[in-house]
Amino acid sequence: MTIQPVRLFGDPILRARAAEVTAFDRDLRQLVTDLTETMHDDGGVGMAAPQIGVGLRVFVYDTGDAAGHLVNPQWEVVGDEEQVGPEGCLSIPGLRYDTRRALRVRASGVDFDGAPVAFEAEGLLARCVQHETDHLDGVLFIDRIDPAQRKEAMRVIRESDWFAAGVTVRPARSMSGAGRPNPFGLGG
């Protein structure tokens, strides 16, 4: 089992820019496996390496329609349409707020072997690419919501049992089958 503890809001790694991956080796492949299994165990649709305490530019995704990983990802907006919809984060349990994102993006990077990867994404996958890349830049979805919602979100976080207790790492769950709610409204 490679399910890892998840870093929670307040852990400094969630606010730091992750480093570019330069070594494409067994450790990187294991990181992708750990991220994928942890994401699935938590019922997520995406997870970035800093969320399990690793400061590298790697994220995984599984929206049900598309699954994979990106190393050293970049993205650009395709068109000018936006989407507004519920978004949450496995590192901020229990919060969901409507968040504005680009409807379509073109994502690129490499896989864990260093081979180029590029694809266009729309809807949930586009939201996931933007959300997870934000994690790699030290940005959380609550940074992207309107000021009134952000104020409310910070109040809820401060009043949460885990934050009030100073907990910044949630222990790894077992694969018992009891998944956590999907922060994107579907699964991650």
Side-chain angles (χ1 to χ4, degrees):
M1 240 187 246
T2 57
I3 297 166
Q4 299 295 312
V6 175
R7 303 302 171 104
L8 299 176
F9 182 86
D11 189 307
I13 197 166
L14 296 175
R15 290 303 196 170
R17 186 179 194 287
E20 298 288 322
V21 172
T22 57
F24 296 86
D25 55 14
R26 181 182 312 157
D27 290 341
L28 180 59
R29 286 188 290 283
Q30 186 62 52
L31 173 59
V32 169
T33 298
D34 292 354
L35 281 167
T36 302
E37 290 189 13
T38 304
M39 172 189 67
H40 285 148
D41 190 58
D42 272 337
V45 298
M47 181 166 271
Q51 291 181 275
I52 63 168
V54 178
L56 291 175
R57 298 187 71 76
V58 179
F59 74 80
V60 299
Y61 59 92
D62 186 348
T63 64
D65 294 326
H69 67 277
L70 267 177
V71 177
N72 298 333
Q74 298 179 349
W75 61 268
E76 60 185 353
V77 174
V78 176
D80 56 4
E81 291 179 273
E82 294 182 331
Q83 59 177 317
V84 176
E87 196 165 316
C89 181
L90 297 172
S91 293
I92 311 174
L95 289 186
R96 284 178 40 155
Y97 287 93
D98 281 348
T99 307
R100 182 176 307 278
R101 299 282 187 177
L103 178 63
R104 283 186 290 286
V105 299
R106 182 175 300 110
S108 62
V110 295
D111 68 13
F112 55 50
D113 291 319
V117 174
F119 58 89
E120 285 198 13
E122 183 173 337
L124 180 60
L125 182 56
R127 179 178 296 281
C128 184
V129 166
Q130 293 166 81
H131 178 105
E132 300 309 333
T133 304
D134 271 355
H135 270 300
L136 304 179
D137 293 330
V139 176
L140 300 173
F141 89 97
I142 59 173
D143 300 329
R144 300 217 180 266
I145 59 180
D146 73 53
Q149 287 181 318
R150 180 165 165 61
K151 185 176 179 180
E152 169 67 12
M154 291 305 299
R155 183 190 63 75
V156 172
I157 290 168
R158 282 190 302 274
E159 291 176 359
S160 70
D161 292 341
W162 58 269
F163 189 77
V167 175
T168 59
V169 179
R170 181 183 47 76
R173 295 172 24 93
S174 69
M175 294 196 66
S176 64
R180 295 190 187 283
N182 164 13
F184 291 111
L186 289 177

